[in-house]
Amino acid sequence: SKGLSYKLKSIDYYLRNDSISIEARNYYNDNLKLDDSKAIFSIIDSLQSKNITFLPFYIFLTSKIMVQSDGALSEYLCISAKQFCESRAYEFLSFFNENNEIEEKYLMLWAKCVGSEIAIECENKEENCLKDFDTKMLIGCKSDSSSLLKLKSRFVKMVKKSI
């Protein structure tokens, strides 16, 4: 939603909050293995949370999962990542726009993930799917903020390179 901040608060703020799932806390504290797919899927599913307060933490955790994921987990992760970028473009772009300390590699991992999903979903019609993706992000961005629009364009270029 517009006007809200997607700046990541101190990690302690999230870890001390009872509304943050035990799976998310365990994963952050390295007490959850990636092969516990049900628990990991629940963290990824938190991207759909309506609770904007905790969304930055879930985007951050999902980014960390991307660093380590492979196989069936990657498949689920990349489907979810693409859906999130399309349906909640404003939140996604605002997160990366407001958290300069989040490394560029995380944005690149999101782009690779989305690109691989487009490649799987849209074999031989990747160009059309990329256009659709770009349009959905633009509509979802619902912003005239030049910094968000620039970031969207840069992200879509990164996705295109990774298809």
Side-chain angles (χ1 to χ4, degrees), residues 17-50:
N17 196 305
D18 290 341
S19 300
I20 293 288
S21 72
I22 190 75
E23 292 87 356
R25 280 182 267 176
N26 285 343
Y27 177 73
Y28 183 81
N29 289 320
D30 288 328
N31 296 327
L32 181 62
K33 299 283 172 266
L34 278 184
D35 58 12
D36 183 353
S37 55
K38 195 166 176 245
I40 296 292
F41 287 177
S42 78
I43 296 169
I44 298 166
D45 289 343
S46 297
L47 288 175
Q48 298 310 322
S49 171
K50 297 289 176 249

Side-chain angles (χ1 to χ4, degrees), residues 126-142:
E126 293 88 352
E127 202 60 46
N128 291 348
C129 286
L130 186 66
K131 275 194 191 104
D132 285 350
F133 177 74
D134 191 10
T135 303
K136 283 178 183 164
M137 277 202 87
L138 185 60
I139 293 166
C141 185
K142 55 179 179 288

Side-chain angles (χ1 to χ4, degrees), residues 18-134:
D18 290 341
S19 300
I20 293 288
S21 72
I22 190 75
E23 292 87 356
R25 280 182 267 176
N26 285 343
Y27 177 73
Y28 183 81
N29 289 320
D30 288 328
N31 296 327
L32 181 62
K33 299 283 172 266
L34 278 184
D35 58 12
D36 183 353
S37 55
K38 195 166 176 245
I40 296 292
F41 287 177
S42 78
I43 296 169
I44 298 166
D45 289 343
S46 297
L47 288 175
Q48 298 310 322
S49 171
K50 297 289 176 249
N51 189 330
I52 301 297
T53 311
F54 306 127
L55 190 58
F57 185 61
Y58 289 122
I59 297 171
F60 175 67
L61 286 184
T62 300
S63 302
K64 289 180 86 60
I65 292 168
M66 283 178 184
V67 175
Q68 304 173 297
S69 83
D70 57 12
L73 174 57
S74 285
E75 196 177 318
Y76 188 81
L77 184 59
C78 293
I79 290 168
S80 301
K82 180 174 176 277
Q83 284 172 347
F84 182 70
C85 289
E86 290 175 339
S87 65
R88 301 187 81 174
Y90 182 81
E91 291 88 338
F92 173 75
L93 294 167
S94 295
F95 174 82
F96 281 100
N97 199 43
E98 291 178 32
N99 293 289
N100 302 349
E101 73 284 1
I102 299 287
E103 297 163 61
E104 182 74 8
K105 75 170 181 188
Y106 287 127
L107 188 62
M108 182 55 87
L109 284 166
W110 279 81
K112 283 185 174 158
C113 212
V114 171
S116 72
E117 183 50 32
I118 288 175
I120 292 165
E121 260 180 43
C122 303
E123 205 174 340
N124 301 324
K125 46 183 196 307
E126 293 88 352
E127 202 60 46
N128 291 348
C129 286
L130 186 66
K131 275 194 191 104
D132 285 350
F133 177 74
D134 191 10

